[in-house]
Amino acid sequence: MNKPVRQPKRKKLIQVNILFSMLLSLIISVSLNNLLIYFVYQAGTGMDWLKKAFPYFITPFFLLVFTITFFGLTRRIVKDLMTLERGLQMITEGDLNHRVPVHRQDELGRVAYNINQMTERLQLQIAKERENERSKMELITGISHDLRTPLTSIIGYIELLRTKSFQDQEEYTRFVQNTYNKSIHLKKLLDDLFEYTRLNSIDTRQNVHRIDLFQLLKQLLFEFEPIAHDNAIHIIKDIGSSPVLIFVDSDKIARAIDNLLMNALKYSVKPGAIHVRMITDPKQAAIEVENRGIPLTREQQEKLFERFYKVDHSRSSEGIQTGAGLGLSIARNIAERHGGTLTLDHVNDVFTFRLTIPIKDRDALLESEMQNL
């Protein structure tokens, strides 16, 4: 892509330039006309035939000199107009990398600048549409892959049960339990997908009301601790004891926090610990979820919040089924819809996810939501 040019300043008008060219052409034509008259009537003594024919010659001579002089003085304008026309022709033929040179500081310069601006915006719009199309294809591919795996397992177990291909009651119970587990996994994948598409819908509205963020986090940790205990993970809490009153959509914030906790549980070194902290000030509340895990490469870290991105399966816990790779993307989307952020601080094998939520009143939060839409 060519380097964008500066917008020309309004220094002079093209009308003034043309008027100046006309006046100068007129002066030159009149001057040469007068010189010719002087030469004929003063130096042409004895040439009566010339004096008789001269009146028929003087007017065409004046027009010829005026035309040649005017064309010469306006040649630059004509040349720039032709350059502008060729540039427009190239752009209309599909060469969006072409930029019209801007060397003037008048209307033609501003026209060339606006054409370049229009072309650049069109190029960016096309690139954005292509990126959206690529994202849609990735979305379809990701959905197909992640839903097919548990669905295939469910069909396989049901087929075994339908044909009574089990040896005893114990194996029958195991098949039924595995079918149930895969069904729950499939439901979770569909829930994640539904939540993601709903959050990205322009019609989505938040159910904003005043809650105590401390009590919400305390309740989520209470429900999470048994799951963590079953996976050899100890929860270390540093969330204070004071109420933190804030206007948010409690269901969505709970979903974001739960996604962070489950992500830490999946990728923690086991046995291990997950540190949960809440830090507040008059402007915002921050929830940090910290765990130890296998270090990521820079490329993996940069892609961690992308939808459907999942790190190597070898990092995941064998006892926890993998999701669709939407958890962190959903959590970041929820944070941004509340005017907050979700960031990752990764140092060696320590991962610290920080969810910040501004402490706003209801009107300010709704205004922030409209800006995100």
Side-chain angles (χ1 to χ4, degrees):
M1 184 184 296
N2 294 354
K3 184 178 181 181
V5 293
R6 291 184 178 180
Q7 182 176 11
K9 297 179 180 179
R10 189 181 291 272
K11 289 188 176 180
K12 57 182 179 180
L13 301 176
I14 195 170
Q15 294 95 328
V16 175
N17 195 335
I18 295 176
L19 180 61
F20 175 77
S21 299
M22 291 181 62
L23 291 176
L24 186 57
S25 299
L26 183 62
I27 293 172
I28 293 174
S29 301
V30 170
S31 300
L32 290 178
N33 207 50
N34 290 337
L35 285 174
L36 183 60
I37 293 173
Y38 175 81
F39 173 78
V40 170
Y41 286 96
Q42 297 298 327
T45 306
M47 302 176 67
D48 293 338
W49 62 270
L50 180 61
K51 293 180 180 180
K52 291 179 180 179
F54 183 71
Y56 300 99
F57 172 76
I58 189 66
T59 300
F61 175 78
F62 172 82
L63 293 175
L64 178 64
V65 172
F66 178 84
T67 302
I68 294 174
T69 307
F70 182 75
F71 278 4
L73 292 175
T74 58
R75 183 174 61 88
R76 176 70 182 276
I77 297 176
V78 175
K79 182 180 178 181
D80 289 339
L81 279 171
M82 293 176 64
T83 301
L84 195 63
E85 186 273 335
R86 284 194 298 269
L88 277 172
Q89 182 66 26
M90 294 179 67
I91 293 171
T92 55
E93 290 176 355
D95 185 6
L96 296 181
N97 288 321
H98 180 74
R99 295 293 180 270
V100 180
V102 181
H103 304 302
R104 304 181 64 89
Q105 300 294 327
D106 53 17
E107 288 87 347
L108 285 181
R110 287 191 292 277
V111 168
Y113 172 80
N114 290 331
I115 289 174
N116 291 338
Q117 288 291 98
M118 177 193 68
T119 306
E120 189 167 346
R121 291 193 183 101
L122 182 60
Q123 196 172 25
L124 291 174
Q125 182 178 354
I126 292 175
K128 185 177 180 180
E129 289 176 355
R130 288 176 179 171
E131 177 65 22
N132 289 338
E133 188 65 26
R134 185 186 66 83
S135 297
K136 289 179 182 178
M137 292 305 298
E138 289 182 352
L139 178 65
I140 295 171
T141 303
I143 292 172
S144 301
H145 178 269
D146 289 311
L147 298 183
R148 183 175 56 188
T149 302
L151 184 59
T152 302
S153 298
I154 291 171
I155 294 173
Y157 282 120
I158 290 177
E159 179 64 19
L160 292 174
L161 294 171
R162 187 180 69 84
T163 58
K164 299 182 180 180
S165 301
F166 49 87
Q167 298 178 358
D168 49 32
Q169 184 65 31
E170 182 180 351
E171 191 170 51
Y172 171 83
T173 304
R174 181 165 60 86
F175 286 172
V176 172
Q177 185 63 43
N178 288 342
T179 304
Y180 175 78
N181 292 339
K182 293 297 181 180
S183 300
I184 295 299
H185 184 203
L186 182 60
K187 181 180 182 301
K188 185 180 184 306
L189 293 176
L190 291 172
D191 288 343
D192 284 346
L193 178 62
F194 176 74
E195 182 68 18
Y196 180 83
T197 54
R198 188 175 63 164
L199 286 172
N200 283 274
S201 172
I202 60 175
D203 298 327
T204 301
R205 294 294 178 186
Q206 298 193 117
N207 182 22
V208 178
H209 55 277
R210 191 182 188 189
I211 67 165
D212 183 353
L213 187 61
F214 165 74
Q215 289 294 337
L216 176 64
L217 181 57
K218 182 179 178 181
Q219 179 64 29
L220 290 172
L221 291 176
F222 176 77
E223 297 172 357
F224 180 70
E225 280 184 307
I227 304 174
H229 181 267
D230 292 341
N231 288 272
I233 294 294
H234 175 59
I235 304 298
I236 302 175
K237 295 178 284 188
D238 183 15
I239 61 174
S241 57
S242 302
V244 180
L245 301 179
I246 189 170
F247 279 97
V248 294
D249 185 326
S250 59
D251 291 337
K252 287 186 171 58
I253 291 297
R255 180 65 179 269
I257 297 172
D258 183 66
N259 286 356
L260 293 180
L261 293 173
M262 290 303 299
N263 181 77
L265 180 62
K266 288 178 183 178
Y267 300 115
S268 288
V269 175
K270 299 174 181 63
I274 296 177
H275 297 251
V276 181
R277 292 181 289 268
M278 183 162 67
I279 306 166
T280 61
D281 59 43
K283 294 184 178 180
Q284 67 178 17
I287 298 173
E288 294 183 350
V289 179
E290 179 183 298
N291 69 288
R292 289 185 175 273
I294 299 175
L296 297 177
T297 64
R298 180 176 294 274
E299 181 182 1
Q300 288 175 321
Q301 183 175 340
E302 291 174 352
K303 293 182 178 180
L304 205 57
F305 290 98
E306 293 183 7
R307 62 186 182 187
F308 295 111
Y309 178 75
K310 290 179 283 188
V311 295
D312 195 320
H313 291 293
S314 62
R315 294 186 64 240
S316 62
S317 171
E318 294 181 359
I320 305 174
Q321 294 169 319
T322 58
L326 291 172
L328 293 178
S329 178
I330 290 173
R332 171 170 278 187
N333 194 311
I334 291 172
E336 291 175 350
R337 279 182 170 270
H338 285 79
T341 59
L342 176 59
T343 58
L344 169 62
D345 183 18
H346 174 215
V347 181
N348 296 325
D349 62 344
V350 178
F351 298 81
T352 304
F353 287 90
R354 182 181 176 89
L355 172 67
T356 62
I357 308 169
I359 298 179
K360 302 178 180 179
D361 57 26
R362 182 184 178 89
D363 293 338
L365 181 58
L366 292 175
E367 181 180 353
S368 175
E369 180 188 358
M370 293 302 297
Q371 291 176 353
N372 287 331
L373 293 177

